[in-house]
């Protein structure tokens, strides 16, 4: 399993990727909120799963930051 963290617009984000059978799964957690997990991803590599998780986390942050 691989994990990484980053900050985006003042939010701390942790993303993880792990192999689930023949595909890669991922999750992200923003600040101390409940994590979001996707085990149905089509990612075929760890790098692709981490990129997908980062993209989804940033989209979620944009939703959180809406007035």
């Amino acid at each position: 399993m691989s994990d990484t963290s980053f900050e985006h617009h003042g939010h701390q984000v942790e993303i993880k990727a792990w192999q689930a059978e023949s595909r890669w799964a991922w999750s992200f957690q923003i600040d101390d909120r409940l994590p979001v997990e996707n085990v149905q991803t089509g990612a075929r590599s760890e790098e692709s799963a981490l990129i997908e998780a980062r993209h989804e986390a940033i989209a979620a942050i944009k939703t959180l930051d809406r007035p």
Side-chain angles (χ1 to χ4, degrees):
M1 177 166 52
S2 175
D3 63 340
T4 185
S5 61
F6 63 96
E7 187 173 322
H8 186 76
H9 290 258
H11 295 280
Q12 188 62 37
V13 181
E14 183 177 348
I15 57 176
K16 296 180 180 182
W18 64 93
Q19 196 156 15
E21 298 182 22
S22 63
R23 303 275 185 191
W24 284 85
W26 55 257
S27 69
F28 67 81
Q29 183 171 10
I30 300 168
D31 300 325
D32 290 330
R33 291 176 170 83
L34 288 174
V36 174
E37 191 171 285
N38 183 352
V39 295
Q40 298 292 327
T41 180
R44 293 179 183 262
S45 71
E46 181 179 31
E47 181 180 3
S48 294
L50 289 171
I51 290 168
E52 190 175 319
R54 183 180 178 91
H55 174 78
E56 293 296 326
I58 290 170
I61 288 170
K62 289 178 183 178
T63 301
L64 288 172
D65 288 346
R66 286 187 187 153

